[in-house]
Amino acid sequence: MPRKVIVIGAGPAGYVCAIRLAQLGQEVTVVEKEYVGGVCLNVGCIPSKAMIAAGALMSRAHEASAMGITFKDMKVDIGKLVEWKAGIVGKLTGGIAGLLKNHKVPVVMGTASLKDKNTVVVKTKDGEQILKGDDIVIATGSIPIEIPGFAFDEDKVWSSTGALRPKKIPEHLVVIGGGYIGLELGIMYRKLGSKVTVLEATPGALPGQERDCVRVIERSLKKMGVELLTETMAQGFEHKGGKSYVRIKTKKGEDTVVCDQVLSTVGRRPFSAGLGLEKAGLAVDAKGFLAVDKHMRTKVANIYAIGDIAGQPMLAHKGSKEGLVAAAVIAGQKDEYDARCVPAVIFTSPEMASVGLTEEQCKEKGLTYKTGSFPFAASGRAMSLMETDGMVKMIVDAKTDEILGVHMVGPEVTELIAEAALAIEMGATAEDIARTIHAHPTLPEALMEAAEAVHGMAVHIYQKK
Ligand code: FAD
Ligand code: NAI
């Protein structure tokens, strides 16, 4: 007998779970309050990467003069750019709606809340619908955090959503928060022509990421003319004469930055408001997440949680993986979330990517480890692409040679990280990577050389004994 399953939320966690449930013969209904595809496809991963690609193309076109190629009268038509981006979002979300339809998964557009552990009430524009399920999967995602004094009005103060549908390119953009979104979108606006100031509370950009890689990003921000003010807090702002006067507190005291646009990106928090969790015997933890076991079950056995609502890291691919696990478990298969690592990719300039432990985390865990690095400046392929900033750093267990972490900054590293993630999942050693023939001339050779560098044997850099 197929199980009746209700999936609440059609983001990359929820829709992936629903499709897999249907593939496994279960009877699934999806409830979605706003948009099929969730944050990721509509106002997150996809539209941001589309706009970032446009910024990158502009800046590449400027740099091409070094190759003897010049462009005249380069301009951005922001309306057309936003329309192009919306077209990509439309194709992808339409594709997901089509896949759900082909799998015979009905999508009820409305806001779901739990009545008890088997009943979901959906408020739709035409009234209420009651759905009964053997199992319920909660995939309600996350929303951006607002800080005092900077309520999102998507006019003077943008969240990432406002920043992805601009009416014009700001002359001077102040970004609050130098994390994933702040740097990705801050750099994009710089490339499209804005002056950009990033205010970051901690002593450096991208807290928690491998510091050797972050240093390359910080240097690149400087080169691009993005001002990064660290240990700086935004206190509030006044808007007069078409300008916003942002009051900031730094180590040196208080100051004001004058700009015409503020973008606040200080993190996201799990979203479960109005879901009626208590009616099913559930409650979120202090950070707003729903605790789950390795089968993605909450403490109520027939209710599962996946994606951003189920804990860090709040990344689309982690949510999708959890969706696949929950679907398999509901369908009666033996499965569990046992990923050894979750890769992270940051579309800065240059790009950054990492998987596994950082050096700092190895130290905290008291591990004995060795590292090897290879700079893209020594890669023929990076040179031919005119993108030599950055490096690949590998961290391995000093005794077993097993790869513990790989951190990269440089050209196309958001693609290159897949090999490192596979290596860690397979329990590979640095020697395994070093012995694997990598095609020449390609960027992945840098990973092979970093693996060789762990043993002091990198061929294309001189390593002092
Ligand atoms: P969501 O995508 O948030 O989907 C949840 C869905 O549930 C939403 O559609 C919502 O409307 C619906 N919902 C909520 N409550 C209810 C309810 N009561 N009833 C019915 N429906 C409900 N991650 C990456 O891995 N790579 C990236 O490059 C990346 N870029 C990003 C860029 C930006 C600007 C942002 C904001 C995020 C980015 N992320 C990225 C993060 C990524 O978008 C999230 O991790 C991912 O969307 C989480 O998926 P989810 O399915 O858990 O939740
Ligand atoms: P974030 O957690 O990445 O960064 C927030 C930054 O704001 C941190 O550096 C923090 O120190 C700083 N901060 C916090 N409060 C502050 C304050 N009052 N003043 C100044 N700085 C302050 O959060 P972000 O950028 O909003 O992104 C949210 C999440 O979305 C990410 O953590 C990630 O999970 C996901 N995401 C993933 C992307 C990717 O995979 N490429 C891209 C964009 C988002």
Side-chain angles (χ1 to χ4, degrees), residues 8-14 31-35 38-40 43-45 48-49 110-112 139-142 160 164 181 268 271 275 306-308 314-317 347:
I8 305 177
V31 185
E32 169 54 51
K33 73 175 166 60
E34 205 170 352
Y35 30 41
V39 167
C40 177
V43 291
C45 326
S48 63
K49 266 79 258 184
T111 304
T140 49
S142 64
S160 52
L164 292 171
I181 304 181
R268 295 179 62 84
F271 179 70
L275 201 54
I306 55 174
D308 284 4
M314 291 203 225
L315 297 174
H317 41 283
F347 293 77

Side-chain angles (χ1 to χ4, degrees), residues 49 147 176-182 184 199-202 206-207 232-234 265-268 312-315 345-347:
K49 266 79 258 184
I147 52 169
I176 309 175
Y180 274 74
I181 304 181
E184 284 190 357
L199 314 176
E200 167 56 40
T202 68
L206 297 166
T232 299
M233 300 292 284
T265 58
V266 296
R268 295 179 62 84
Q312 296 282 5
M314 291 203 225
L315 297 174
V345 290
I346 315 180
F347 293 77

Side-chain angles (χ1 to χ4, degrees), residues 33-234:
K33 73 175 166 60
E34 205 170 352
Y35 30 41
V36 169
V39 167
C40 177
L41 270 67
N42 290 277
V43 291
C45 326
I46 298 299
S48 63
K49 266 79 258 184
M51 304 266 291
I52 288 165
L57 185 60
M58 280 280 283
S59 113
R60 291 291 285 163
H62 283 298
E63 289 159 10
S65 61
M67 294 174 170
I69 303 167
T70 47
F71 298 86
K72 273 205 181 115
D73 301 329
M74 226 186 333
K75 304 196 267 283
V76 192
D77 177 339
I78 195 70
K80 199 151 187 195
L81 174 56
V82 171
E83 200 184 302
W84 169 74
K85 171 219 74 174
I88 296 171
V89 169
K91 269 188 216 135
L92 283 172
T93 54
I96 300 301
L99 281 172
L100 288 166
K101 200 171 163 197
N102 290 340
H103 282 97
K104 304 201 173 21
V105 176
V107 179
V108 180
M109 288 307 292
T111 304
S113 64
L114 301 172
K115 193 166 175 226
D116 58 47
K117 71 183 184 56
N118 294 102
T119 316
V120 171
V121 181
V122 189
K123 272 199 189 126
T124 72
K125 63 177 177 27
D126 305 317
E128 262 185 20
Q129 265 192 45
I130 307 283
L131 302 174
K132 288 271 182 193
D134 300 315
D135 301 288
I136 296 172
V137 180
I138 300 176
T140 49
S142 64
I143 55 168
I145 295 172
E146 249 179 8
I147 52 169
F150 294 93
F152 300 126
D153 60 2
E154 305 302 357
D155 176 30
K156 294 175 190 69
V157 182
W158 278 339
S159 69
S160 52
T161 301
L164 292 171
R165 47 176 185 232
K167 292 196 180 70
K168 64 178 180 68
I169 294 168
E171 263 172 52
H172 186 175
L173 174 70
V174 164
V175 181
I176 309 175
Y180 274 74
I181 304 181
L183 289 196
E184 284 190 357
L185 297 187
I187 290 171
M188 171 197 94
Y189 273 104
R190 178 74 196 119
K191 292 191 168 181
L192 292 176
S194 300
K195 177 176 176 195
V196 176
T197 304
V198 179
L199 314 176
E200 167 56 40
T202 68
L206 297 166
Q209 301 292 331
E210 181 66 37
R211 296 333 279 171
D212 284 352
C213 293
V214 174
R215 270 190 285 279
V216 174
I217 300 288
E218 288 178 345
R219 266 201 314 270
S220 160
L221 289 174
K222 213 174 205 170
K223 242 194 282 175
M224 273 183 274
V226 173
E227 186 182 26
L228 172 68
L229 303 178
T230 54
E231 294 178 84
T232 299
M233 300 292 284

Side-chain angles (χ1 to χ4, degrees), residues 275-333:
L275 201 54
L277 292 173
E278 63 295 341
K279 291 189 188 145
L282 283 171
V284 293
D285 68 14
K287 291 189 170 154
F289 293 114
L290 268 171
V292 287
D293 63 14
K294 58 190 179 187
H295 305 292
M296 306 318 299
R297 269 199 183 97
T298 63
K299 68 173 184 155
V300 177
N302 71 316
I303 303 186
Y304 298 73
I306 55 174
D308 284 4
I309 187 73
Q312 296 282 5
M314 291 203 225
L315 297 174
H317 41 283
K318 175 267 202 180
S320 297
K321 174 70 188 171
E322 291 177 341
L324 296 175
V325 171
V329 171
I330 291 170
Q333 295 184 346

